[in-house]
Amino acid sequence: MEDIEDLLIGSGGGGAPPGFRLPLNTVAVKPKKNVKNGAKLNGSLLSDLSLISTVPGTQSDSEYMAGQLSSFGYGLSDDPDNADLWLINTCTVKNPSQSAMDTLITKGKSAQKPLVVAGCVPQGSWNLKELDGVSIVGVQQIDRVVEVVEETLKGHEVRLLTRKTLPALDLPKVRKNKFVEILPINVGCLGACTYCKTKHARGHLGSYTIDSLVGRVKTVITEGVKEIWLSSEDTGAYGRDIGVNLPTLLNGIVAELPPDASTMLRIGMTNPPFILEHLKEIAEVLRHPCVYSFLHVPVQSGSDAVLSAMNREYTVSEFRTVVDTLTELVPEMHIATDIICGFPGETDEDFAQTVSLIEDYKLPQVHISQFYPRPVGTPAARMKKVQSNIVKKRSRELTAVFEAFTPYNGMEGRIERVWITEIATDRVHLVGHTKSYVQVLIVAPQTMLGSSAMVKITSVGRWSVFGEVIETLTQADKRTSAKERLSSEVKCSPCVDQDESCACSGDKAAAPCSCGPEGCGEQQNSAGTDTASHNQQLLDGNFLSRRRKTDPTRKLGDSRTASGDSLKQENSREEAPGEWGFVDRVFLGGLILSLFTLLALLVHLGFRVKLSK
C-alpha cells in the first residue's frame, strides 16, 4: 500500500520517467499504550506517506504528521494487516486519486480498521458518503493529528477542517529521505482553474514569513539535510498576500546555504503569470552554485483557446517568454512542464498546437495526463467532453512524440558535479543529480549518500544518465552548525559530554564545552526533541516504539502544547548532568535524616514491645 498519487504512476499517460519519483515504502505508527485504558496494543497505525506527488504540499504534510505521531511515543511499522488504525493522506487533483482513496477506505472498513483520512479530498469534499464513519484531518490541521488519532482509537469520529492560522514550520517531522527537506512556503493559490479542486481544499493564498522560512532553512542544514525543496501550489505567487515577493525569499534562503554547495536548493512548481515580472531576478538565483538550474512550469496546453477555457490566466506566448528568458540567462537550464490531453472543447487544431509547442522545446521532462472531471465544484465538469477514445489517442500520440526526444545526448564523457541523495529502485545504483537536475545513476557504496562528487558520464539513457565517481567533494557526515559558520574565532570539536573540555582553535585555552547540543554534534529541532537519530531508525526499518513523554491517561488538548510541555520538563531534568546543586544536597540530607529518624523509631518501638511482655 502506497501513497494515493504514487499508486497511479504509469497508468495515466507517458512522461514519467522510471525512477523520477523516489522509491516508496509503507509506514505505520504503533501506539505504546491505549489512551483509553492503558492496555498495550499489539497492532500498528498505518500512515500512507508521500514523498513526491503531483500536488505540492501533500508530501510535506505526510512527513509532518508522521513526525508528530513519532514524537508522541508512536513507533512506525510496515505491517498494515496488524495495524490498529490506518491514516491515509489524499490528493484531489485527479479523479483516479479519489477512486484509489475510496478503494483504501473500503478495504480498511472491511478489515474493521479505524480510519483517519487527511489531505485535500476530505478538506474539499467532507460530505462524501465514503467518508461516513471516518475521522478526517484538514490540510491546515495537520498539527493536531495526534488528537485525531487518539480520539479515533477510543472509538470517536473526529473532524477538524477549519483554521485561521498556518501550521507551524517547526513541528516534529519524519523525512522519507533524511537528506531532503520539503519546505512549504505557502498554502493555497491565487488561481481559479476550471478543472482544479485543490483551490477548494487548500483555499486562498497564505504565505509563511521570510524570517520563519529562513529560520527553518538554518535549522535543517544543521540536521544534515543536503537538498531543500520549496513546496507550493504556486511558488511564483509567494508573498503577494503579505507584501513580499519570491526573489526576496530566495535571496534570503540562498544567503544561508553553505558556501561549499554541500546543501542544494530546488525551487518548486510555478505557474507563468506570477514569475513574468521577476524573470531576471529568478534567473540570477538559478545561476547560484547552491541552486539547481531547474524549474517546473506547467503549461497544460499549447492552445490559447484551451488555456482560456481552463482559466489559466496566461497565453502560450507568455509561457514561451518564461522558457526563452530562463534558458537564455541560465546556463544548462532545464524546465519541466505538464500537459492535459482532451480538455473539454479541445479540437484537433488545439491539440496540434500543443504537439507543436512540445516539439519546439523538446523539454526533458513532460508529465502528460488525460483530463478527468472533478464533479463537485469544478466548472470543467459541466463542459462538453471530448470522446474518451479521442482523449486516449491524443495522449498516446503526444507521449510518442515526447519519448522520441533524446535530451541527454552529448553528455557522454562530460565531468559533472553530482549531489547524491537516494538509492535507485533497482537497489544497485545510487541516484544523484547534476546542477541542471539531470538524474545520474552511479554504482557506489551507500556511504556516499548525502555527499557530492565529480562524476564522469559514461553513457546516456532516455530518462537518466550513468556515471562513475572520479572524486568525492563533500561527505554526508560533515556537518557545520550555523553558529560555527558565522564565527571563526573559536571552533569546538564534537564533545561526548558537555562537561568535558573542547579542543578549541585560536588563542583561547580549552574550557568546559559551552557550545550546546548543536555545537557538539547533536541536532535538535526547535521543539527541543532530538529527532535525527530516531528518524534514521525509522527510515532504516528499525521500527521501535518509544516510551510516551506524556501521561497516557491525560486527555489531550492541543498536541503541540502537550508535547511542548513534556519536552520542557525533559530538558529541565537534563540540565547540568552530573552536578549536585544546593537544592539537591539539601534534599539528599533530608532524605538521610528521615531514614535515621525512622530507624530510631523502629528501635524504640521494639524496646517498648519487649518491655510490655
Side-chain angles (χ1 to χ4, degrees), residues 352-385:
Q353 293 175 2
T354 298
V355 173
S356 177
L357 178 69
I358 297 303
E359 287 180 328
D360 285 349
Y361 287 105
K362 294 181 172 56
L363 300 176
Q365 296 175 15
V366 179
H367 183 264
I368 303 167
S369 62
Q370 301 172 27
F371 172 74
Y372 290 101
R374 305 296 293 118
V376 180
T378 57
R382 299 188 295 271
M383 298 178 183
K384 185 177 180 180
K385 299 177 180 60

Side-chain angles (χ1 to χ4, degrees), residues 587-599:
F587 178 77
L588 180 61
L591 182 62
I592 295 173
L593 181 61
S594 299
L595 289 174
F596 276 111
T597 303
L598 180 61
L599 181 62

Side-chain angles (χ1 to χ4, degrees), residues 324-354:
D324 293 343
T325 303
L326 293 180
T327 52
E328 177 185 355
L329 298 179
V330 183
E332 303 292 331
M333 180 69 192
H334 276 205
I335 292 176
T337 196
D338 300 344
I339 295 291
I340 297 176
C341 289
F343 189 82
E346 183 186 65
T347 65
D348 289 339
E349 182 181 353
D350 294 328
F351 177 68
Q353 293 175 2
T354 298

Side-chain angles (χ1 to χ4, degrees), residues 101-392:
M101 179 205 73
D102 295 344
T103 300
L104 288 176
I105 290 177
T106 300
K107 182 177 179 181
K109 288 181 176 179
S110 298
Q112 297 184 335
K113 304 291 185 182
L115 298 174
V116 175
V117 178
C120 294
V121 171
Q123 183 75 56
S125 304
W126 56 269
N127 56 348
L128 289 173
K129 65 177 183 179
E130 290 81 5
L131 295 175
D132 289 345
V134 173
S135 292
I136 58 179
V137 183
V139 295
Q140 294 186 21
Q141 295 280 6
I142 59 173
D143 56 345
R144 300 182 66 184
V145 66
V146 175
E147 294 178 67
V148 176
V149 164
E150 302 220 355
E151 291 301 318
T152 303
L153 286 171
K154 295 177 184 178
H156 302 153
E157 180 181 336
V158 182
R159 299 199 162 198
L160 294 179
L161 292 171
T162 58
R163 186 193 183 107
K164 295 182 179 180
T165 59
L166 297 174
L169 289 172
D170 58 359
L171 295 172
K173 173 183 278 195
V174 174
R175 299 185 182 96
K176 288 292 293 285
N177 184 331
K178 70 175 183 176
F179 298 115
V180 176
E181 167 72 8
I182 303 171
L183 180 61
I185 63 173
N186 59 297
V187 298
C189 68
L190 293 176
C193 299
T194 57
Y195 59 86
C196 184
K197 186 74 174 169
T198 304
K199 178 68 174 283
H200 295 82
R202 293 192 172 261
H204 200 66
L205 182 69
S207 302
Y208 288 95
T209 65
I210 291 178
D211 287 344
S212 64
L213 291 166
V214 171
R216 180 64 183 171
V217 167
K218 292 179 181 179
T219 298
V220 302
I221 290 174
T222 65
E223 294 174 350
V225 162
K226 300 303 177 184
E227 286 189 6
I228 299 172
W229 299 355
L230 302 186
S231 173
S232 169
E233 279 76 46
D234 188 351
T235 301
Y238 169 79
R240 289 175 177 259
D241 58 319
I242 57 175
V244 296
N245 58 43
L246 179 62
T248 304
L249 170 65
L250 295 178
N251 287 320
I253 292 176
V254 167
E256 299 300 329
L257 299 178
D260 63 352
S262 56
T263 299
M264 295 292 287
L265 177 70
R266 195 185 84 176
I267 303 175
M269 183 273 289
T270 179
N271 289 310
F274 300 115
I275 62 170
L276 281 167
E277 62 188 273
H278 301 302
L279 282 177
K280 291 184 178 179
E281 295 95 325
I282 292 174
E284 184 178 355
V285 173
L286 290 167
R287 289 195 300 266
H288 193 281
C290 298
V291 181
Y292 285 119
S293 303
F294 170 83
L295 197 61
H296 179 195
V297 187
V299 64
Q300 305 299 3
S301 175
S303 164
D304 284 339
V306 174
L307 291 178
S308 178
M310 291 178 172
N311 197 29
R312 291 289 290 171
E313 301 180 342
Y314 58 86
T315 63
V316 176
S317 176
E318 289 173 325
F319 172 79
R320 287 181 180 271
T321 297
V322 171
V323 177
D324 293 343
T325 303
L326 293 180
T327 52
E328 177 185 355
L329 298 179
V330 183
E332 303 292 331
M333 180 69 192
H334 276 205
I335 292 176
T337 196
D338 300 344
I339 295 291
I340 297 176
C341 289
F343 189 82
E346 183 186 65
T347 65
D348 289 339
E349 182 181 353
D350 294 328
F351 177 68
Q353 293 175 2
T354 298
V355 173
S356 177
L357 178 69
I358 297 303
E359 287 180 328
D360 285 349
Y361 287 105
K362 294 181 172 56
L363 300 176
Q365 296 175 15
V366 179
H367 183 264
I368 303 167
S369 62
Q370 301 172 27
F371 172 74
Y372 290 101
R374 305 296 293 118
V376 180
T378 57
R382 299 188 295 271
M383 298 178 183
K384 185 177 180 180
K385 299 177 180 60
V386 178
Q387 293 180 11
S388 60
N389 62 323
I390 296 177
V391 175
K392 293 177 182 178

Side-chain angles (χ1 to χ4, degrees), residues 455-517:
V455 174
K456 181 178 181 180
I457 306 303
T458 57
S459 62
V460 300
R462 175 59 187 87
W463 310 111
S464 56
V465 302
F466 296 82
E468 59 182 21
V469 175
I470 296 177
E471 177 188 4
T472 301
L473 299 179
T474 59
Q475 297 292 339
D477 58 355
K478 183 181 178 181
R479 298 185 182 181
T480 305
S481 69
K483 185 182 296 183
E484 290 174 318
R485 291 200 310 274
L486 293 173
S487 174
S488 59
E489 295 180 1
V490 180
K491 297 181 180 179
C492 296
S493 63
C495 312
V496 176
D497 190 294
Q498 291 195 30
D499 286 335
E500 72 176 359
S501 296
C502 292
C504 299
S505 62
D507 298 331
K508 297 184 179 182
C513 181
S514 60
C515 47

Side-chain angles (χ1 to χ4, degrees), residues 52-103:
I52 296 181
S53 74
T54 58
V55 180
T58 56
Q59 60 270 35
S60 179
D61 291 351
S62 296
E63 293 186 354
Y64 275 123
M65 287 189 289
Q68 291 173 84
L69 290 164
S70 174
S71 69
F72 243 78
Y74 292 84
L76 301 183
S77 170
D78 57 359
D79 187 0
D81 292 333
N82 290 325
D84 290 304
L85 181 147
W86 289 7
L87 172 60
I88 305 168
N89 198 17
T90 63
C91 162
T92 191
V93 168
K94 301 176 186 176
N95 195 58
S97 305
Q98 184 170 326
S99 298
M101 179 205 73
D102 295 344
T103 300

